[in-house]
Each structure stands twice: as structure tokens, then as C-alpha cells.
């Protein structure tokens, strides 16, 4: 977890250390924006830590533990750049399956289980439980991802003695004990796991373009217009919720996803806590027919960082190396724009 915080601190200038929210051990905590409430005890587990990786409660983690340390749960609440349960379940599942601690874990069911929080609404959430081989630190581990409006809650649990079936029962008890807002119990979009894209992307030789002030400004303004469109009421019919497929093999650092609503390009979901890199034809490239591709990173606080464009569709490795270098050309948050003079 610290690795992605350091990488993104470099790219976005955000704090790399989580802050303690300072809630008394015997008091419940209510998240202001969603209304979700976490009590000091959940299904026999006690809250031992409550932190925020941002300054605005947009990436909160609550840790719960049994007195004998045989069972623990971590509940993450974050505001993802792409609000899609299947994508963030896929990222969390990858994080589990690529950890040395759980690398040989066997899923208890062939496919993730879709379920409804509170027993109402559509089965908009996903969960998966794993049995781990004998001799390890844990006998089982589990994951559940629940949508709360445009937010996502991820519940991770591991047990030293419980079987996979027993842990699944404990996971459901913890989920039931969380005090969910109406937006989590009235979901209407049924969840389904991400599948592999039928036709993988191909990449030609792509190079970074020379600094172009018009290209940079258009990319920054595009992020503002997209954010404004999300918040404004409109009489137009709702846009169908896109489905996502995963391109290639996911890694701990990122997964590459393509949307059914996309006309080109892809997104890279970083680690498993809401940050996304978008790689799409640039607006300027469409105007002057240069065919350039823009690269931008959006964090959980709504800050968009724009990086140098490419002459063609870049590979995910090229994009990852660029973002990891921290060479952003400009940033946009709300109406506040910051530009690197060298990018003009």
C-alpha cells in the first residue's frame, strides 16, 4: 500500500502518509459525504484504527480486529475516478492474488458472487472468498466491494483458523453490521465480474510529442467540463452504464481496461484505491488530425494531472513510466489550474 502512495505522491503532489481521523475508540464515525456509519464494533470485531489518505475523507481506511488477533477486517471507503464496482473488485482481487501471502489461495467459488446489500435492490455488489494452503499465516481470506452512489466500499478480511465457508459467513455479518446509507441499499445496476477483452490492443511506435500549449490547455479544460457534466442536472436521457473489459494480464501496479462506450484508447486503474490514468485521442489531435494521444491521471480528490502527449497510442508500460516519473505538464482541480511553463 505504501508503494502506490509514494508513486502517486510523486505524480500528484499529494501527501504520502495517511492521517489519523482521531475518533474516540468507543464512538461511531459517520462519513459526511455518503452518510455511511462505522460503529466501534462490527460483528464482534473492534475498530483499532481509522485513517484518511487525503485531507477530505476521500480515501478512508478502518481497521477492525478480534481480541485474539485470529480475524481482522479492513474497510476502505474511497471516491474513485471511475465509479464501477466490477473494475475495483477486479483490482482488489488482483492485489490479493499477486501477494506472496495469498499467491496460492484457491477461490471457494468458480466466480465471484453478486449480492444485494441489506437484501434490497439489485445484486450490485461482488464478493469472493479464498482458502489458503496449510502452513501459511492465514487459513482463509475474503473480499467484498459495494457501491455507495459514486463511492466504493471495499471490505477485506483474513482469518487464521476459519475455513473459507466460515469466513464467508463472518464477511456477510460484517457487511450487515455496517450502517449503510440508502444509496447502497437501493442499487439498480446488477454487478458482473470484468471479463478479458476479446480483441487485445496492439501498439505501434509511440513517442512523446513536443510541448504544445494549446494541446495542454484543451486537455485541462476537458477535465473540468467532464467534472461539471457529472454534477449538473440535465433533461437528457441517462447515459447507459458502460461495461468494462480487461486488456491483457493485470499486475499489482495497474490493470488496463476498455469501456463499451469508448471510441478509442484505454484507462489504467492504479493499484486498488480509485486512481485512474486515461489514455485517449487528444482533443487537439482530433482538431489538427495529428492523431496524438493525451495522458491524464485523476485522483480520488478530483485533481486531474495532465502529462505529455504521445504521437500514437502508447503502451501501458510507456504510460506507467511517464506517470511514475512525475513529469506532469499541468493540473486542474475545480477552477484552479496550474501549468508547468516548460510545457507551453
Amino acid at each position: 500500500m505504501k508503494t502506490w502512495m509514494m508513486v502517486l505522491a510523486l505524480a500528484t503532489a499529494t501527501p504520502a502518509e495517511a492521517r489519523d481521523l482521531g475518533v474516540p475508540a468507543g464512538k461511531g464515525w459517520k462519513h459526511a459525504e455518503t452518510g455511511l456509519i462505522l460503529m466501534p464494533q462490527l460483528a464482534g470485531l473492534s475498530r483499532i484504527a481509522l485513517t484518511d489518505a487525503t485531507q477530505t475523507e476521500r480515501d478512508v481506511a478502518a481497521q477492525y480486529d478480534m481480541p485474539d488477533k485470529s480475524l481482522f477486517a479492513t474497510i476502505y471507503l474511497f471516491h474513485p475516478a471511475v465509479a464501477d464496482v466490477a473494475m475495483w473488485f477486479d483490482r482488489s482481487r488482483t492485489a490479493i492474488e499477486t501477494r506472496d501471502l495469498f499467491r496460492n489461495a484457491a477461490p471457494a467459488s468458480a466466480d465471484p458472487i453478486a449480492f444485494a446489500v441489506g437484501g434490497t435492490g439489485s445484486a450490485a455488489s461482488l464478493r469472493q472468498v479464498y482458502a489458503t494452503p496449510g502452513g501459511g499465516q492465514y487459513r482463509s481470506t475474503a473480499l467484498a466491494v459495494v457501491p455507495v452512489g459514486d463511492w466504493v466500499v471495499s471490505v477485506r478480511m483474513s482469518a487464521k483458523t476459519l475455513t473459507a465457508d466460515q469466513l464467508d459467513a463472518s464477511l456477510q455479518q460484517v457487511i450487515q453490521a455496517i450502517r449503510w446509507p440508502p444509496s447502497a441499499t437501493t442499487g439498480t445496476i446488477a454487478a458482473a465480474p470484468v471479463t478479458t477483452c476479446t480483441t487485445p490492443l496492439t501498439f505501434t511506435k509511440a513517442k512523446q510529442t513536443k510541448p504544445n500549449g494549446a494541446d495542454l490547455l484543451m486537455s485541462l479544460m476537458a477535465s473540468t467540463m467532464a467534472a461539471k457534466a457529472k454534477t449538473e442536472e440535465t433533461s437528457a436521457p441517462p447515459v447507459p452504464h458502460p461495461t468494462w473489459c480487461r486488456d491483457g494480464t493485470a499486475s499489482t501496479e495497474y490493470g488496463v481496461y476498455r469501456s463499451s462506450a469508448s471510441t478509442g484508447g484505454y484507462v489504467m486503474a492504479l493499484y486498488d484505491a480509485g486512481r485512474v490514468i486515461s489514455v485517449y485521442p487528444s482533443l487537439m489531435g482530433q482538431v489538427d488530425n495529428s492523431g496524438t494521444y493525451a495522458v491524464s491521471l485523476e485522483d480520488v480528490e478530483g485533481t486531474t494531472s495532465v502529462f505529455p502527449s504521445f504521437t500514437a497510442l502508447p503502451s501501458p508500460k510507456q504510460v506507467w513510466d511517464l506517470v511514475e516519473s512525475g513529469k506532469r505538464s499541468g493540473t486542474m482541480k475545480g477552477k484552479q489550474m496550474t501549468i508547468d511553463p516548460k510545457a507551453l
Side-chain angles (χ1 to χ4, degrees):
M1 196 62 87
K2 287 185 178 179
T3 302
W4 71 255
M5 292 181 74
M6 289 188 289
V7 169
L8 291 168
L10 179 64
T12 64
T14 55
E17 293 295 331
R19 63 189 179 99
D20 188 347
L21 290 181
V23 179
K27 299 290 185 179
W29 171 79
K30 182 176 182 179
H31 185 242
E33 289 201 50
T34 63
L36 179 139
I37 298 174
L38 296 176
M39 300 303 291
Q41 282 80 38
L42 293 178
L45 286 82
S46 298
R47 194 181 65 226
I48 58 173
L50 184 62
T51 58
D52 179 16
T54 69
Q55 298 299 307
T56 54
E57 294 187 358
R58 293 216 156 194
D59 189 358
V60 176
Q63 298 179 37
Y64 286 80
D65 207 344
M66 290 288 284
D68 62 1
K69 309 298 181 183
S70 64
L71 175 67
F72 76 87
T74 306
I75 299 170
Y76 300 98
L77 170 64
F78 57 93
H79 189 267
V82 175
D84 187 87
V85 164
M87 177 184 293
W88 297 110
F89 180 87
D90 194 64
R91 292 304 304 142
S92 294
R93 180 169 62 174
T94 299
I96 293 172
E97 295 174 356
T98 54
R99 283 192 65 187
D100 289 338
L101 189 62
F102 303 119
R103 194 176 296 276
N104 296 317
S109 58
D111 297 305
I113 298 170
F115 67 98
V117 168
T120 60
S122 297
S125 306
L126 293 169
R127 76 176 191 270
Q128 183 102 54
V129 182
Y130 297 82
T132 56
Q137 183 178 356
Y138 298 102
R139 188 177 181 183
S140 57
T141 192
L143 162 71
V145 176
V146 179
V148 181
D150 289 335
W151 293 68
V152 165
V153 172
S154 176
V155 182
R156 285 278 290 107
M157 293 185 71
S158 292
K160 293 181 177 179
T161 61
L162 299 182
T163 65
D165 287 343
Q166 290 171 331
L167 181 58
D168 187 36
S170 294
L171 173 65
Q172 294 182 65
Q173 290 171 5
V174 167
I175 292 171
Q176 291 172 5
I178 296 172
R179 298 189 179 181
W180 299 96
S183 55
T185 58
T186 57
T188 57
I189 302 173
V194 166
T195 58
T196 302
C197 299
T198 54
T199 304
L201 287 170
T202 57
F203 304 98
T204 57
K205 190 174 182 179
K207 297 181 179 180
Q208 289 184 30
T209 62
K210 294 180 180 180
N212 185 320
D215 185 31
L216 171 59
L217 289 172
M218 291 182 73
S219 295
L220 288 170
M221 293 305 297
S223 69
T224 299
M225 291 185 289
K228 185 178 180 181
K230 289 181 182 179
T231 58
E232 286 186 342
E233 293 185 2
T234 176
S235 58
V239 177
H241 186 77
T243 56
W244 296 85
C245 66
R246 183 180 62 250
D247 194 274
T249 302
S251 67
T252 302
E253 292 79 13
Y254 59 81
V256 177
Y257 301 89
R258 288 152 56 193
S259 167
S260 59
S262 171
T263 57
Y266 57 88
V267 302
M268 296 168 61
L270 306 185
Y271 295 89
D272 58 352
R275 283 80 173 172
V276 163
I277 301 171
S278 296
V279 185
Y280 286 105
S282 71
L283 293 177
M284 194 64 194
Q286 295 176 59
V287 170
D288 61 14
N289 294 318
S290 62
T292 57
Y293 279 77
V295 175
S296 61
L297 181 147
E298 186 176 348
D299 65 22
V300 293
E301 294 186 280
T303 298
T304 298
S305 297
V306 173
F307 294 79
S309 297
F310 284 87
T311 57
L313 180 65
S315 70
K317 180 63 167 57
Q318 284 182 286
V319 174
W320 172 254
D321 289 344
L322 173 62
V323 172
E324 192 176 26
S325 74
K327 293 197 312 180
R328 62 187 183 279
S329 303
T331 61
M332 194 79 176
K333 184 175 183 180
K335 296 181 180 180
Q336 184 176 353
M337 180 187 297
T338 304
I339 294 177
D340 180 357
K342 295 179 181 178
L344 295 175

